[in-house]
Amino acid sequence: MVNKMVNKTRLELTERQKSVLQTLKGFILERGYPPTIRQLGEMLGISNPSAVFKHVRSLEKKGYVRRKAGEIELVGFSPAGEPLVRVPLLGFVPAGQPQEAIDLSREAVEVPEWMLGRKTGNVFCVQVEGKSMVDAYIDDGDRVLVERTNTASSGEMVIAFLEDGSVTLKRLKLEEGRISLIPENPEFQPIEVPQLRILGRVIGVMRKY
C-alpha cells in the first residue's frame, strides 16, 4: 500500500510521467505487446534502467500501470484489435457516504475481453462518485467492473446494499461476527452495519487518461 498521506495528489501525473505513459501506449498500439525496461529507456532517451524503473514504479503507485510476470500492463487499456465485450452500465455508485440505490440504464460500455476472464455475461459496470476509495486506485469518475454475486470474502471490494436502502462501494471486513465497510481514504470513517446485501464484487477499474 502506498503512503496514504498523498491520496489527494498521487493520481496526478508529472509531465515526465505523462511522457512515459504516452510512450508505453504508443509502443503497445504499434506492436501489440509492452516494451522491456531497456526498450522503454531507449525510446525515452534514458540510459540508466534504474531511472526508467523508477518512473514505471511511480505510474504503478498512481494506478496507471501494473507489472505482471515481468511485463508492464496499462490499467484499463486495450491494444488495437483486442476483442471487446459490451457490458451494461448501471449508473452511478457512491464511494463516499452511502446514497440511494444505483440507477438502472440501458447504456453499455465496451470492455477488453481479458478484463472479464470467464465472467462474461455476469458482469456490470458502474461509475464511481466520491473519493473514499482513492488509496485503492479508485477515484471519482472512474468506472468499475463488478461481478454479480451475493457473497464475498473479507478484504474484497464490494457494492453493498444497506438496510436503509442506500448503496456504497467499500472494502468488506468480517471479523468476530462484526460487519464493517472500510474506506480506502483516511478522511472517511468505516461503516459498521448489523447486516447488508452484497450486489457484487469489484473485479476491475477503468480510468480515462
Side-chain angles (χ1 to χ4, degrees):
M1 186 61 65
V2 299
N3 188 341
K4 292 186 176 182
M5 293 184 67
V6 297
N7 66 82
K8 288 186 176 180
T9 59
R10 68 175 185 178
L11 294 177
E12 298 177 3
L13 297 178
T14 65
E15 290 303 312
R16 188 52 161 167
Q17 289 166 354
K18 289 178 183 178
S19 174
V20 175
L21 188 61
Q22 290 303 319
T23 301
L24 278 169
K25 256 194 201 180
F27 187 99
I28 294 173
L29 278 171
E30 180 180 350
R31 308 194 188 188
Y33 58 88
T36 65
I37 291 293
R38 190 170 297 280
Q39 287 174 322
L40 183 57
E42 290 175 355
M43 290 183 288
L44 294 168
I46 303 174
S47 59
N48 187 343
S50 295
V52 180
F53 186 76
K54 183 178 179 181
H55 288 305
V56 173
R57 281 288 292 147
S58 295
L59 291 173
E60 185 177 23
K61 287 180 179 181
K62 293 182 178 183
Y64 288 88
V65 307
R66 60 172 165 252
R67 287 174 297 140
K68 185 177 180 182
E71 292 188 345
I72 307 167
E73 292 183 353
L74 293 173
V75 176
F77 176 75
S78 175
E82 184 169 328
L84 299 174
V85 178
R86 288 179 65 81
V87 172
L89 176 64
L90 301 187
F92 298 85
V93 64
Q97 298 302 319
Q99 298 175 15
E100 295 180 2
I102 53 180
D103 296 324
L104 299 179
S105 74
R106 294 184 179 180
E107 294 184 60
V109 294
E110 291 188 332
V111 177
E113 190 176 55
W114 63 264
M115 293 187 72
L116 305 185
R118 297 180 180 179
K119 303 179 180 69
T120 302
N122 197 37
V123 174
F124 63 91
C125 180
V126 291
Q127 185 163 322
V128 175
E129 286 188 329
K131 303 182 75 70
S132 71
M133 300 300 287
V134 292
D135 282 351
Y137 310 132
I138 300 177
D139 203 359
D140 183 54
D142 288 346
R143 289 176 173 177
V144 295
L145 295 174
V146 183
E147 179 187 8
R148 299 177 191 270
T149 180
N150 57 10
T151 63
S153 301
S154 184
E156 291 185 308
M157 285 186 286
V158 300
I159 308 296
F161 186 85
L162 307 183
E163 282 187 310
D164 62 2
S166 62
V167 171
T168 189
L169 166 62
K170 294 289 186 293
R171 193 176 296 280
L172 179 65
K173 182 178 181 181
L174 305 174
E175 186 177 48
E176 298 178 352
R178 299 168 62 182
I179 305 173
S180 300
L181 296 170
I182 309 298
E184 293 281 357
N185 182 338
E187 295 182 3
F188 292 78
Q189 296 299 313
I191 303 169
E192 189 168 329
V193 294
Q195 62 181 13
L196 56 78
R197 180 159 62 95
I198 294 172
L199 301 180
R201 59 186 166 207
V202 175
I203 61 170
V205 181
M206 296 184 294
R207 176 172 300 127
K208 292 182 178 180
Y209 297 113

